[in-house]
């Protein structure tokens, strides 16, 4: 634990360095405090001994270390004036478009790399089914999920299909499957009733892939915006790390795992430098928050940027985006 005076000095060093990127010296700090330069130099030396500050090359000033940023984020974040709310404009949008808007807005507002993971399709349930006759021997099955997703699948038959059978199937499927999750085994259990006539069972078996393949064919979706900002980051010219990060973004499964690992709940998580186990992120900072329904997370909102990041603003923006997405998906999933 630091003394009150040391915390005041550390906070000012971090804030000044975040503002202009220049090492902060005792003379600059003397104008802000009533203590003399010698006292401030002593406190700076103590903070350096604690590993919270360091001397850059050829400079008398100090800059924060990763531990210094960590202490600042955990204990010294200024309350400040309320920030203007983030305008996401999610009303009346489809789920995938809402994810895209959130990602683009986050990147624009922060000038950093923004990543939003969409809810996995397995978290949704079936909301409505249509069995449509397109031609005498061609049917289309339309499945609408609670997440707003719409899938369409064509089925061809050797003989013309009785329109009465197609209408019956539409009513039966809605009665049996609406509200059911998209796991293949659960759907098959609900789909087939042994008391049905053989012709009806055979017809439903032919249509079954429209439902059982939904989760098998799905992939977790990741929305990314602001990759150009990576080239603008002050990373000490480390092209190897930059290439590794770009590779991670292309291999989205690795990025999904990283974001899930960073979150333990709905609150904002901040990982700084070496706290990120992925080598590609060990010179960067990750700010992430979960969003979803009251009882479960469905995805993450995150921003990746340099260690010299405007933490108060970025944390506030990520938290705001996650809260707005939570309200949006609660309405989409009909769980207010």
């Amino acid at each position: 634990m630091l003394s009150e005076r040391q915390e005041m000095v550390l906070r000012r060093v971090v804030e000044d360095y975040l503002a202009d990127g220049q090492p902060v010296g005792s003379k600059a700090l003397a104008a802000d405090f009533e203590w003399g330069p010698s006292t401030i130099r002593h406190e700076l030396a103590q903070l350096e001994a604690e590993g919270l500050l360091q001397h850059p090359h050829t400079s008398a000033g100090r800059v924060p270390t990763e531990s210094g940023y960590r202490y600042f984020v955990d204990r010294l974040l200024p309350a400040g004036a309320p920030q203007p709310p983030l305008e996401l404009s999610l009303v009346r949008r489809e789920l995938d478009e809402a994810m895209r808007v959130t990602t683009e807005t986050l990147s624009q507002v922060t000038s950093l790399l923004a990543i939003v993971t969409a809810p996995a399709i397995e978290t949704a349930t079936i909301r409505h089914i249509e069995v449509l006759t397109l031609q005498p021997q061609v049917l289309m099955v339309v499945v609408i999920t609670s997440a707003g997703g719409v899938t369409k699948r064509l089925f061809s038959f050797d003989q013309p299909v009785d329109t009465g059978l197609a209408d019956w199937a539409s009513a039966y499927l809605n009665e049996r499957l609406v509200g059911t999750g998209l796991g293949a085994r659960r759907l098959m259990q609900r789909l087939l009733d042994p008391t049905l006539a053989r012709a009806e069972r055979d017809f439903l078996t032919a249509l079954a892939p429209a439902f059982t393949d939904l989760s098998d064919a799905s992939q977790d979706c990741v929305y990314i915006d602001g990759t150009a900002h990576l080239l603008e980051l002050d990373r000490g010219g480390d092209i190897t790390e930059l290439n590794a990060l770009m590779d991670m973004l292309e291999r989205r499964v690795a990025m999904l795992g990283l974001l899930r690992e960073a979150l333990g709940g709905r609150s904002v998580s901040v990982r700084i430098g070496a706290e990120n186990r992925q080598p590609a992120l060990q010179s960067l900072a990750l700010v992430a928050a979960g969003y979803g329904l009251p009882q479960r997370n469905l995805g993450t909102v995150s921003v990746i940027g340099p260690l010299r990041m405007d933490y108060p603003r970025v944390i506030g923006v990520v938290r705001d985006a996650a809260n707005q997405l939570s309200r949006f998906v609660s309405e989409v999933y009909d769980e207010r």
Side-chain angles (χ1 to χ4, degrees), residues 217-275:
S218 70
Q219 293 183 351
D220 290 318
C221 194
V222 182
Y223 296 87
I224 299 174
D225 197 85
T227 51
H229 294 309
L230 293 176
L231 303 176
E232 303 168 4
L233 299 181
D234 179 12
R235 297 168 57 86
D238 193 335
I239 300 301
T240 302
E241 284 190 2
L242 178 59
N243 289 338
L245 180 54
M246 295 299 288
D247 183 58
M248 253 189 97
L249 295 178
E250 292 177 3
R251 294 182 298 105
R252 304 201 170 192
V253 173
M255 184 59 70
L256 277 166
L258 169 73
L259 295 176
R260 290 183 182 131
E261 179 185 294
L263 290 171
R266 194 66 57 82
S267 60
V268 178
S269 171
V270 180
R271 292 200 170 186
I272 300 171
E275 294 173 355

Side-chain angles (χ1 to χ4, degrees), residues 92-148:
R92 297 178 183 174
R93 293 187 183 273
E94 297 294 335
L95 184 62
D96 60 343
E97 181 63 17
M99 300 295 110
R100 187 170 291 106
V101 167
T102 301
T103 311
E104 292 174 353
T105 304
L106 270 177
S107 180
Q108 291 169 3
V109 168
T110 63
S111 296
L112 300 171
L113 175 68
I115 304 172
V116 174
T117 64
I121 193 171
E122 291 87 350
T123 65
T125 58
I126 292 176
R127 176 178 286 174
H128 185 69
I129 299 166
E130 292 281 356
V131 180
L132 306 174
T133 303
L134 301 184
Q135 298 176 14
Q137 295 173 236
V138 180
L139 298 182
M140 175 186 286
V141 177
V142 181
V143 181
I144 303 173
T145 72
S146 61

Side-chain angles (χ1 to χ4, degrees), residues 12-68:
R12 182 49 55 91
V13 171
V14 174
E15 290 176 343
D16 287 357
Y17 185 66
L18 292 179
D20 58 28
Q22 298 299 315
V24 182
S26 57
K27 290 183 179 179
L29 294 173
D32 299 320
F33 297 116
E34 59 185 10
W35 321 304
S38 60
T39 300
I40 294 175
R41 283 194 296 271
H42 172 75
E43 298 295 8
L44 290 172
Q46 290 296 109
L47 293 170
E48 188 172 356
E50 293 289 338
L52 302 174
L53 298 178
Q54 64 183 354
H55 267 105
H57 297 300
T58 67
S59 171
R62 266 85 165 183
V63 299
T65 63
E66 292 180 14
S67 297

Side-chain angles (χ1 to χ4, degrees), residues 283-317:
S283 64
L284 297 169
L286 166 71
V287 180
Y291 72 87
L293 305 173
Q295 302 303 321
R296 56 181 170 145
N297 276 351
L298 296 177
T300 58
V301 175
S302 60
V303 165
I304 294 175
L307 299 181
R308 192 175 74 84
M309 176 191 293
D310 186 351
Y311 290 98
R313 174 162 172 72
V314 172
I315 290 171
V317 168

